[in-house]
Amino acid sequence: MTATDERLAMPRTFPAGFVWGTATAAYQIEGAVSADGRGLSIWDTFCRMPGAVARGESGEFACDHYHRWQEDVDLMKDLGAGAYRFSVAWPRVLPDGRGPVNRRGLDFYRRLVDALREGGIEPYVTLYHWDLPQALEDRGGWRVRDTAERFADYAEVMYDALGESVSNWITLNEPYCSAIVGYGEGRHAPGAREGHGALAAAHHLLLGHGLAVARLREMARPGQQVGVTLNMSPTVPVTSAPRDVQAARRMDLLVNRQFTEPLFGGAYASDMAETFGRITDFSFRRDGDLDIIGTPVDFLGVNYYYRLHVEAAPYEEADPARRSAFDLGVRTVTPQDARTSGLGWVVEPEGLYETLVGLTSRYPDLPPVYITENGYGDDGVLEDGGRIDYLRDHLAATCDAMTAGADVRGYFCWSLMDNFEWARGYSARFGLVHVDYDTQVRTPKASFHWMRDFIADPVVTGPVTTGPVDILVAGTPRGERPAGD
Ligand code: IFM
């Protein structure tokens, strides 16, 4: 187990060349959902479903970044950030998801990228941060293989347009959320509650990633990088009783290993069939898919927010044949006396250490890692000491993980500014910059000033985390290749 020593607040320095940035996503900040020929996305549709999003909010206006991007680039310059991770809205560029390109949509990203580069800020472009064109959803969405092919075509369109100026490409953001939260639990767009469909979506997202990597590689110049971003949450059993440990392992499969094993382990996770065999026959898998999915990448993006503390819980439906798709007999709990964020999320920097060190020890061929998201949610106070503490302690844990051998190259704070937090709407705020949604006035918070000072002199003093990691993928055998493969 890791140990965090609160008394040992040693100063640690990040190496020269470490990348410092902030991150956002198209649907969360752009607004302007019908400007300049943008097509509909599944989030436009989802937000119109009664009860889907808190207070019936949507990304229709968001931060109006589509019109105010210059001001936002100026904020990044003030921060001293050397990099900016943003996503492209697929339906802005290809309103039907395929077919004719919408030049006006592309031009928006061209202008943004030019301004970033002029300001000395390196763009990190995410191709898919959840806003699938509705036209593709109408043809089956990520449940169907064709969407993976269309994604690779879209990647090619984007490289054609921005490849001269963008050297860092991220295919997917958090495929767990797209597939399981969107197609399995229905809490995100498209709001489906399917078992087989969600697992097919996970597979096709990974396949689309692999196809897009190959396509980008064909066109890329030396030094350009392609990666993928996963959200990682170590799962911790509340007791060492076998039933809790097994529950933690099932949760770990659902959230983490379902994705890391085929990407970096060369096989599907060994417990996929045992855990999900009752809801799918895996008929969406084809020979050769694993090789495509496992195409080597230049980096892994890790989004880390919290660990999951889990215990075994009774299945809601005793009959396995009738059980709902993602009832894994697991309950997530908040440990007593846990430090929590303004949103009640457990704050445990050691979980970031465990993620980084755990991945490094499990996957010998793991590429370098960028922390592509890490941040603190609250209700938007300007004197946000809780966010400063969170950032400081997670940066300290990052340094400790690097000392323990993790190859981490950069850190992107989520988020540059408050934005549309999906099903929670606008009430949850993660920004270094406060946004008044009535006036669109941006106001840097205390954390913005703290981060600016930190980027100028990246020395962090915070609790020290050490130790081997024994839970991220504890005791779970490496994956299996399908029969006949
Ligand atoms: O806002 C999200 C982001 O879109 C994906 N990662 C987690 C963030 C906070 O919930």
Side-chain angles (χ1 to χ4, degrees):
M1 258 324 222
T2 56
T4 298
D5 196 330
E6 302 286 334
R7 295 158 308 161
L8 271 184
M10 272 171 21
R12 280 89 103 201
T13 313
F14 282 86
F18 198 86
V19 173
W20 297 107
T22 58
T24 64
Y27 191 73
Q28 295 183 269
I29 63 166
E30 285 180 2
V33 291
S34 30
D36 296 338
R38 175 186 177 279
L40 268 187
S41 83
I42 54 174
W43 271 92
D44 298 300
T45 309
F46 183 69
C47 289
R48 288 190 202 131
M49 294 178 183
V53 175
R55 296 166 299 282
E57 291 169 346
S58 78
E60 185 175 358
F61 302 107
C63 308
D64 195 29
H65 171 77
Y66 190 75
H67 299 112
R68 295 168 196 263
W69 56 273
Q70 272 166 319
E71 186 182 349
D72 297 333
V73 172
D74 286 343
L75 282 166
M76 291 177 228
K77 288 197 234 165
D78 276 0
L79 186 66
Y84 175 48
R85 173 179 178 241
F86 65 94
S87 78
V88 172
W90 184 348
R92 220 181 255 299
V93 172
L94 294 164
D96 290 327
R98 56 194 188 132
V101 172
N102 177 27
R103 294 283 152 207
R104 289 181 297 168
L106 267 186
D107 286 346
F108 166 69
Y109 297 107
R110 284 203 182 99
R111 288 193 292 272
L112 175 62
V113 162
D114 287 348
L116 289 168
R117 293 195 62 105
E118 274 161 33
I121 299 168
E122 200 57 42
Y124 283 64
V125 173
T126 304
L127 291 168
Y128 187 69
H129 198 124
W130 309 352
D131 42 357
L132 185 72
Q134 182 62 42
L136 291 185
E137 177 60 22
D138 295 342
R139 297 163 61 92
W142 288 108
R143 300 172 192 86
V144 301
R145 201 172 179 88
D146 183 62
T147 300
E149 303 278 355
R150 302 291 70 80
F151 180 64
D153 293 346
Y154 156 60
E156 184 174 334
V157 167
M158 289 315 304
Y159 188 89
D160 246 2
L162 302 181
E164 287 285 302
S165 326
V166 173
S167 289
N168 302 284
W169 296 86
I170 296 169
T171 53
L172 307 175
N173 179 71
E174 304 183 0
Y176 163 76
C177 294
S178 304
I180 307 302
V181 185
Y183 286 87
E185 298 172 353
R187 292 186 289 117
H188 280 182
R193 291 200 173 84
E194 301 167 19
H196 175 82
L199 293 169
H203 182 75
H204 294 137
L205 279 151
L206 290 173
L207 185 68
H209 151 78
L211 293 170
V213 171
R215 202 73 74 86
L216 292 167
R217 281 269 164 68
E218 279 166 23
M219 299 180 289
R221 295 193 313 263
Q224 295 192 316
Q225 314 193 86
V226 188
V228 60
T229 282
L230 304 178
N231 52 315
M232 305 290 307
S233 290
T235 59
V236 187
V238 294
T239 73
S240 56
R243 58 196 303 268
D244 288 334
V245 173
Q246 279 152 17
R249 206 167 285 156
R250 290 196 294 277
M251 194 70 157
D252 177 45
L253 170 71
L254 182 71
V255 178
N256 304 313
R257 280 182 296 109
Q258 179 180 184
F259 301 94
T260 56
E261 289 290 280
L263 283 168
F264 304 111
Y268 299 111
S270 56
D271 41 352
M272 284 293 279
E274 173 195 333
T275 312
F276 298 121
R278 66 193 159 79
I279 52 173
T280 180
D281 56 5
F282 300 101
S283 51
F284 42 78
R285 292 178 181 171
R286 298 219 186 130
D287 285 355
D289 283 0
L290 264 180
D291 294 326
I292 297 171
I293 293 169
T295 305
V297 287
D298 301 302
F299 64 91
L300 166 66
V302 166
N303 292 356
Y304 173 79
Y305 290 88
Y306 47 69
R307 295 198 294 194
L308 293 165
H309 294 264
V310 296
E311 63 184 5
Y315 290 96
E316 277 167 30
E317 166 59 62
D319 177 358
R322 299 174 51 196
R323 205 166 273 160
S324 84
F326 295 103
D327 180 356
L328 298 182
V330 171
R331 184 183 300 126
T332 307
V333 296
T334 304
Q336 244 186 352
D337 305 327
R339 177 180 165 195
T340 53
S341 76
L343 299 183
W345 293 5
V346 177
V347 174
E348 291 178 322
E350 58 268 45
L352 178 55
Y353 175 98
E354 289 168 358
T355 299
L356 299 170
V357 176
L359 286 167
T360 306
S361 58
R362 184 169 179 87
Y363 301 112
D365 296 329
L366 191 79
V369 169
Y370 289 81
I371 297 168
T372 41
E373 284 183 31
N374 176 236
Y376 179 93
D378 61 17
D379 60 4
V381 286
L382 292 178
E383 288 305 319
D384 54 343
R387 178 166 294 107
I388 295 172
D389 291 347
Y390 181 99
L391 296 175
R392 185 200 56 229
D393 294 352
H394 285 76
L395 288 165
T398 303
C399 267
D400 295 339
M402 290 165 74
T403 304
D407 182 3
V408 187
R409 304 282 176 93
Y411 177 96
F412 293 77
C413 175
W414 184 269
S415 177
L416 171 66
M417 57 189 162
D418 295 339
N419 56 52
F420 176 69
E421 178 57 16
W422 309 111
R424 289 173 186 261
Y426 291 97
S427 62
R429 292 170 177 262
F430 283 83
L432 296 175
V433 174
H434 178 273
V435 176
D436 180 323
Y437 295 112
D438 294 327
T439 60
Q440 290 296 346
V441 168
R442 276 84 161 129
T443 310
K445 303 178 189 175
S447 58
F448 179 98
H449 301 295
W450 182 88
M451 197 72 193
R452 184 173 58 189
D453 292 346
F454 174 76
I455 289 174
D457 182 18
V459 178
V460 68
T461 305
V464 172
T465 307
T466 55
V469 170
D470 71 352
I471 187 56
L472 177 68
V473 282
T476 307
R478 288 285 290 278
E480 54 174 44
R481 290 191 77 89
D485 203 21

